[in-house]
Amino acid sequence: MKNQLTHAIEDYLKAIYALSVEGEAASTTALAAELNIAPASVTGMLKRLAETTPPLVEYRKHRGANLTPDGERAALEVIRHHRLLETYLHQSLGFPWEDVHEEACRLEHVISEAFEERIDAVLGHPTHDPHGDPIPSPNLVMPQEASIPLSTLRPPQVTTIQRVNANDADLLRYLDEKSLVPGSKLEVRAFSPFDGNLTISIEGAEMVVGPAITHHIFVEEED
Amino acid sequence: MKNQLTHAIEDYLKAIYALSVEGEAASTTALAAELNIAPASVTGMLKRLAETTPPLVEYRKHRGANLTPDGERAALEVIRHHRLLETYLHQSLGFPWEDVHEEACRLEHVISEAFEERIDAVLGHPTHDPHGDPIPSPNLVMPQEASIPLSTLRPPQVTTIQRVNANDADLLRYLDEKSLVPGSKLEVRAFSPFDGNLTISIEGAEMVVGPAITHHIFVEEED
DNA sequence: ACACTAATTTAGGCAAGACTAAACTTTATT
DNA sequence: AATAAAGTTTAGTCTTGCCTAAATTAGTGT
């Protein structure tokens, strides 16, 4: 008997999950920014989420919110939907990389477990979405993976892109064009300490990328 | 600049479309029954729909509602989504016949035009959904088709099932089992004037079906 | 310890969409 | 034509989720 969560609530849970790294509580303002909602509205919703049965978040005034185990399970369910959908839209329906996020954001709240299972099967039980994010398992365990921002690498270094952390469609389109996608191998050739630019070589081509880009690209952790 | 319709509004438009056959207005109670909503709530919504810009329905007190051209276009868009989705869920994702309706009801409000186009293409631009209902064209013209209830046939007669008009999952599962699906050929062998039962032969097997079933099955019109 | 700022909460409102109960039309029946 | 039944509308209420403006709390530097 899982009670039916609204779209709005699912979005809150997803946002709290995303913002509470390392067990740190997600702040009201950070949530407001993430959700494009006024901070006051977030306060109101957090109170409600803390008083549902079962409670989905743990909330302390002025101290932000954490997910309860129930809340986390619900969040992971939505994230699993989201990432499976992104993968499906891209692989099976030929959606461009940069468009899958928005579409998945709407569909994730609406698909049934049967739908989830079908696309999971059709895709062959994928482990990562097109952006390289891990897909929680059917029993809702989030694989833990270590990766570091490309911006932290110093030459000389060879590595592989693991994950691209961006939702902006224009940026994603650009990255795709330059093969800056999960799985691509690249070599870090030079670093400019003044502006943080890296000179990298990828797919045989050499290019210079600034922090606005390298910050969003995550690569294998070093040995 | 198409204004964003809510989920609820799309359901109203769909229901009004379904109930206003032959230009007759859909009554408040009929809509309430169709939508599982109290009649009073329907009245309120109809008033709102008649006063939006542009108006989506034409509403006269105690006289029910009709769709305006704008409303009809919106309704057809949703119906196109619904029927394409049903077809897709069944053909491409292997959903059982009886489950596609419910899933499509939720997805229809949420998919983008890009999604619509992709599944339409993948399916090869289908003209009918799994229940035999025609799919409106991309420019939102509803194909007009003539078919008559199986219940009106009298032996001896050979015909083909065109359309199955039912949403109840149990009934659909039963019909599927007995091959009472669009495309099946059948022969009407006998008619009982007392209870309206028909004896038919389908796929080599003979069976007796009552009005509760024959009423939902539509076959080719006679020459 | 004090004051200033940034973050947060409270209070009060609003729109969408639904409900019930009561009042009122329309239609059907006699 | 009178009246009962059926269908519809009105009035008033509720919940969800959002908003703004004002009040409060926490955190920071002096």
mmCIF file with all atom_site columns, all heavy atoms in Angstrom, chain B residues 46-57:
data_model
loop_
_atom_site.group_PDB
_atom_site.id
_atom_site.type_symbol
_atom_site.label_atom_id
_atom_site.label_alt_id
_atom_site.label_comp_id
_atom_site.label_asym_id
_atom_site.label_entity_id
_atom_site.label_seq_id
_atom_site.pdbx_PDB_ins_code
_atom_site.Cartn_x
_atom_site.Cartn_y
_atom_site.Cartn_z
_atom_site.occupancy
_atom_site.B_iso_or_equiv
_atom_site.pdbx_formal_charge
_atom_site.auth_seq_id
_atom_site.auth_comp_id
_atom_site.auth_asym_id
_atom_site.auth_atom_id
_atom_site.pdbx_PDB_model_num
ATOM 1  N N   . LEU B 1 46 ? -17.344 23.787 -16.750 1.00 0.00 ? 46 LEU B N   1
ATOM 2  C CA  . LEU B 1 46 ? -17.869 24.170 -18.063 1.00 0.00 ? 46 LEU B CA  1
ATOM 3  C C   . LEU B 1 46 ? -17.954 25.686 -18.184 1.00 0.00 ? 46 LEU B C   1
ATOM 4  O O   . LEU B 1 46 ? -17.651 26.256 -19.238 1.00 0.00 ? 46 LEU B O   1
ATOM 5  C CB  . LEU B 1 46 ? -19.251 23.541 -18.302 1.00 0.00 ? 46 LEU B CB  1
ATOM 6  C CG  . LEU B 1 46 ? -19.264 22.025 -18.491 1.00 0.00 ? 46 LEU B CG  1
ATOM 7  C CD1 . LEU B 1 46 ? -20.675 21.528 -18.747 1.00 0.00 ? 46 LEU B CD1 1
ATOM 8  C CD2 . LEU B 1 46 ? -18.344 21.612 -19.637 1.00 0.00 ? 46 LEU B CD2 1
ATOM 9  N N   . LYS B 1 47 ? -18.360 26.326 -17.106 1.00 0.00 ? 47 LYS B N   1
ATOM 10 C CA  . LYS B 1 47 ? -18.413 27.788 -17.136 1.00 0.00 ? 47 LYS B CA  1
ATOM 11 C C   . LYS B 1 47 ? -17.032 28.370 -17.401 1.00 0.00 ? 47 LYS B C   1
ATOM 12 O O   . LYS B 1 47 ? -16.881 29.296 -18.194 1.00 0.00 ? 47 LYS B O   1
ATOM 13 C CB  . LYS B 1 47 ? -18.920 28.317 -15.796 1.00 0.00 ? 47 LYS B CB  1
ATOM 14 C CG  . LYS B 1 47 ? -20.406 28.174 -15.608 1.00 0.00 ? 47 LYS B CG  1
ATOM 15 C CD  . LYS B 1 47 ? -20.719 28.422 -14.152 1.00 0.00 ? 47 LYS B CD  1
ATOM 16 C CE  . LYS B 1 47 ? -22.012 29.179 -13.938 1.00 0.00 ? 47 LYS B CE  1
ATOM 17 N NZ  . LYS B 1 47 ? -22.268 29.381 -12.506 1.00 0.00 ? 47 LYS B NZ  1
ATOM 18 N N   . ARG B 1 48 ? -16.050 27.798 -16.717 1.00 0.00 ? 48 ARG B N   1
ATOM 19 C CA  . ARG B 1 48 ? -14.693 28.313 -16.913 1.00 0.00 ? 48 ARG B CA  1
ATOM 20 C C   . ARG B 1 48 ? -14.223 28.090 -18.339 1.00 0.00 ? 48 ARG B C   1
ATOM 21 O O   . ARG B 1 48 ? -13.635 28.968 -18.970 1.00 0.00 ? 48 ARG B O   1
ATOM 22 C CB  . ARG B 1 48 ? -13.725 27.627 -15.951 1.00 0.00 ? 48 ARG B CB  1
ATOM 23 C CG  . ARG B 1 48 ? -13.672 28.287 -14.593 1.00 0.00 ? 48 ARG B CG  1
ATOM 24 C CD  . ARG B 1 48 ? -12.721 27.579 -13.661 1.00 0.00 ? 48 ARG B CD  1
ATOM 25 N NE  . ARG B 1 48 ? -11.470 27.214 -14.294 1.00 0.00 ? 48 ARG B NE  1
ATOM 26 C CZ  . ARG B 1 48 ? -10.729 26.156 -13.978 1.00 0.00 ? 48 ARG B CZ  1
ATOM 27 N NH1 . ARG B 1 48 ? -11.144 25.349 -13.020 1.00 0.00 ? 48 ARG B NH1 1
ATOM 28 N NH2 . ARG B 1 48 ? -9.614  25.911 -14.595 1.00 0.00 ? 48 ARG B NH2 1
ATOM 29 N N   . LEU B 1 49 ? -14.496 26.902 -18.865 1.00 0.00 ? 49 LEU B N   1
ATOM 30 C CA  . LEU B 1 49 ? -14.024 26.572 -20.213 1.00 0.00 ? 49 LEU B CA  1
ATOM 31 C C   . LEU B 1 49 ? -14.697 27.441 -21.268 1.00 0.00 ? 49 LEU B C   1
ATOM 32 O O   . LEU B 1 49 ? -14.161 27.633 -22.354 1.00 0.00 ? 49 LEU B O   1
ATOM 33 C CB  . LEU B 1 49 ? -14.289 25.089 -20.513 1.00 0.00 ? 49 LEU B CB  1
ATOM 34 C CG  . LEU B 1 49 ? -13.480 24.103 -19.697 1.00 0.00 ? 49 LEU B CG  1
ATOM 35 C CD1 . LEU B 1 49 ? -13.837 22.671 -20.075 1.00 0.00 ? 49 LEU B CD1 1
ATOM 36 C CD2 . LEU B 1 49 ? -11.991 24.343 -19.899 1.00 0.00 ? 49 LEU B CD2 1
ATOM 37 N N   . ALA B 1 50 ? -15.877 27.941 -20.932 1.00 0.00 ? 50 ALA B N   1
ATOM 38 C CA  . ALA B 1 50 ? -16.596 28.782 -21.896 1.00 0.00 ? 50 ALA B CA  1
ATOM 39 C C   . ALA B 1 50 ? -16.109 30.223 -21.838 1.00 0.00 ? 50 ALA B C   1
ATOM 40 O O   . ALA B 1 50 ? -16.421 31.024 -22.710 1.00 0.00 ? 50 ALA B O   1
ATOM 41 C CB  . ALA B 1 50 ? -18.094 28.727 -21.616 1.00 0.00 ? 50 ALA B CB  1
ATOM 42 N N   . GLU B 1 51 ? -15.332 30.539 -20.811 1.00 0.00 ? 51 GLU B N   1
ATOM 43 C CA  . GLU B 1 51 ? -14.894 31.928 -20.659 1.00 0.00 ? 51 GLU B CA  1
ATOM 44 C C   . GLU B 1 51 ? -13.396 32.114 -20.794 1.00 0.00 ? 51 GLU B C   1
ATOM 45 O O   . GLU B 1 51 ? -12.879 33.207 -20.569 1.00 0.00 ? 51 GLU B O   1
ATOM 46 C CB  . GLU B 1 51 ? -15.354 32.462 -19.295 1.00 0.00 ? 51 GLU B CB  1
ATOM 47 C CG  . GLU B 1 51 ? -16.804 32.919 -19.327 1.00 0.00 ? 51 GLU B CG  1
ATOM 48 C CD  . GLU B 1 51 ? -17.409 32.965 -17.939 1.00 0.00 ? 51 GLU B CD  1
ATOM 49 O OE1 . GLU B 1 51 ? -16.633 33.046 -16.956 1.00 0.00 ? 51 GLU B OE1 1
ATOM 50 O OE2 . GLU B 1 51 ? -18.652 32.913 -17.829 1.00 0.00 ? 51 GLU B OE2 1
ATOM 51 N N   . THR B 1 52 ? -12.687 31.070 -21.147 1.00 0.00 ? 52 THR B N   1
ATOM 52 C CA  . THR B 1 52 ? -11.256 31.237 -21.401 1.00 0.00 ? 52 THR B CA  1
ATOM 53 C C   . THR B 1 52 ? -11.089 31.959 -22.729 1.00 0.00 ? 52 THR B C   1
ATOM 54 O O   . THR B 1 52 ? -12.045 32.105 -23.494 1.00 0.00 ? 52 THR B O   1
ATOM 55 C CB  . THR B 1 52 ? -10.545 29.870 -21.507 1.00 0.00 ? 52 THR B CB  1
ATOM 56 O OG1 . THR B 1 52 ? -11.202 29.088 -22.499 1.00 0.00 ? 52 THR B OG1 1
ATOM 57 C CG2 . THR B 1 52 ? -10.581 29.133 -20.177 1.00 0.00 ? 52 THR B CG2 1
ATOM 58 N N   . THR B 1 53 ? -9.887  32.424 -22.992 1.00 0.00 ? 53 THR B N   1
ATOM 59 C CA  . THR B 1 53 ? -9.601  32.979 -24.317 1.00 0.00 ? 53 THR B CA  1
ATOM 60 C C   . THR B 1 53 ? -8.518  32.139 -24.958 1.00 0.00 ? 53 THR B C   1
ATOM 61 O O   . THR B 1 53 ? -7.417  32.090 -24.432 1.00 0.00 ? 53 THR B O   1
ATOM 62 C CB  . THR B 1 53 ? -9.130  34.440 -24.238 1.00 0.00 ? 53 THR B CB  1
ATOM 63 O OG1 . THR B 1 53 ? -8.184  34.555 -23.181 1.00 0.00 ? 53 THR B OG1 1
ATOM 64 C CG2 . THR B 1 53 ? -10.282 35.377 -24.025 1.00 0.00 ? 53 THR B CG2 1
ATOM 65 N N   . PRO B 1 54 ? -8.792  31.510 -26.078 1.00 0.00 ? 54 PRO B N   1
ATOM 66 C CA  . PRO B 1 54 ? -10.116 31.455 -26.704 1.00 0.00 ? 54 PRO B CA  1
ATOM 67 C C   . PRO B 1 54 ? -11.029 30.492 -25.958 1.00 0.00 ? 54 PRO B C   1
ATOM 68 O O   . PRO B 1 54 ? -10.531 29.588 -25.296 1.00 0.00 ? 54 PRO B O   1
ATOM 69 C CB  . PRO B 1 54 ? -9.784  30.916 -28.093 1.00 0.00 ? 54 PRO B CB  1
ATOM 70 C CG  . PRO B 1 54 ? -8.591  30.049 -27.888 1.00 0.00 ? 54 PRO B CG  1
ATOM 71 C CD  . PRO B 1 54 ? -7.799  30.693 -26.793 1.00 0.00 ? 54 PRO B CD  1
ATOM 72 N N   . PRO B 1 55 ? -12.345 30.669 -26.094 1.00 0.00 ? 55 PRO B N   1
ATOM 73 C CA  . PRO B 1 55 ? -13.274 29.729 -25.448 1.00 0.00 ? 55 PRO B CA  1
ATOM 74 C C   . PRO B 1 55 ? -13.081 28.332 -26.031 1.00 0.00 ? 55 PRO B C   1
ATOM 75 O O   . PRO B 1 55 ? -12.875 28.197 -27.234 1.00 0.00 ? 55 PRO B O   1
ATOM 76 C CB  . PRO B 1 55 ? -14.659 30.266 -25.816 1.00 0.00 ? 55 PRO B CB  1
ATOM 77 C CG  . PRO B 1 55 ? -14.445 31.650 -26.305 1.00 0.00 ? 55 PRO B CG  1
ATOM 78 C CD  . PRO B 1 55 ? -13.067 31.705 -26.871 1.00 0.00 ? 55 PRO B CD  1
ATOM 79 N N   . LEU B 1 56 ? -13.131 27.336 -25.174 1.00 0.00 ? 56 LEU B N   1
ATOM 80 C CA  . LEU B 1 56 ? -12.938 25.961 -25.636 1.00 0.00 ? 56 LEU B CA  1
ATOM 81 C C   . LEU B 1 56 ? -14.259 25.217 -25.766 1.00 0.00 ? 56 LEU B C   1
ATOM 82 O O   . LEU B 1 56 ? -14.349 24.232 -26.490 1.00 0.00 ? 56 LEU B O   1
ATOM 83 C CB  . LEU B 1 56 ? -12.010 25.209 -24.668 1.00 0.00 ? 56 LEU B CB  1
ATOM 84 C CG  . LEU B 1 56 ? -10.597 25.794 -24.597 1.00 0.00 ? 56 LEU B CG  1
ATOM 85 C CD1 . LEU B 1 56 ? -9.829  25.231 -23.413 1.00 0.00 ? 56 LEU B CD1 1
ATOM 86 C CD2 . LEU B 1 56 ? -9.848  25.513 -25.890 1.00 0.00 ? 56 LEU B CD2 1
ATOM 87 N N   . VAL B 1 57 ? -15.261 25.683 -25.026 1.00 0.00 ? 57 VAL B N   1
ATOM 88 C CA  . VAL B 1 57 ? -16.573 25.069 -25.184 1.00 0.00 ? 57 VAL B CA  1
ATOM 89 C C   . VAL B 1 57 ? -17.634 26.162 -25.299 1.00 0.00 ? 57 VAL B C   1
ATOM 90 O O   . VAL B 1 57 ? -17.434 27.302 -24.907 1.00 0.00 ? 57 VAL B O   1
ATOM 91 C CB  . VAL B 1 57 ? -16.949 24.129 -24.006 1.00 0.00 ? 57 VAL B CB  1
ATOM 92 C CG1 . VAL B 1 57 ? -15.807 23.235 -23.617 1.00 0.00 ? 57 VAL B CG1 1
ATOM 93 C CG2 . VAL B 1 57 ? -17.439 24.912 -22.814 1.00 0.00 ? 57 VAL B CG2 1
#
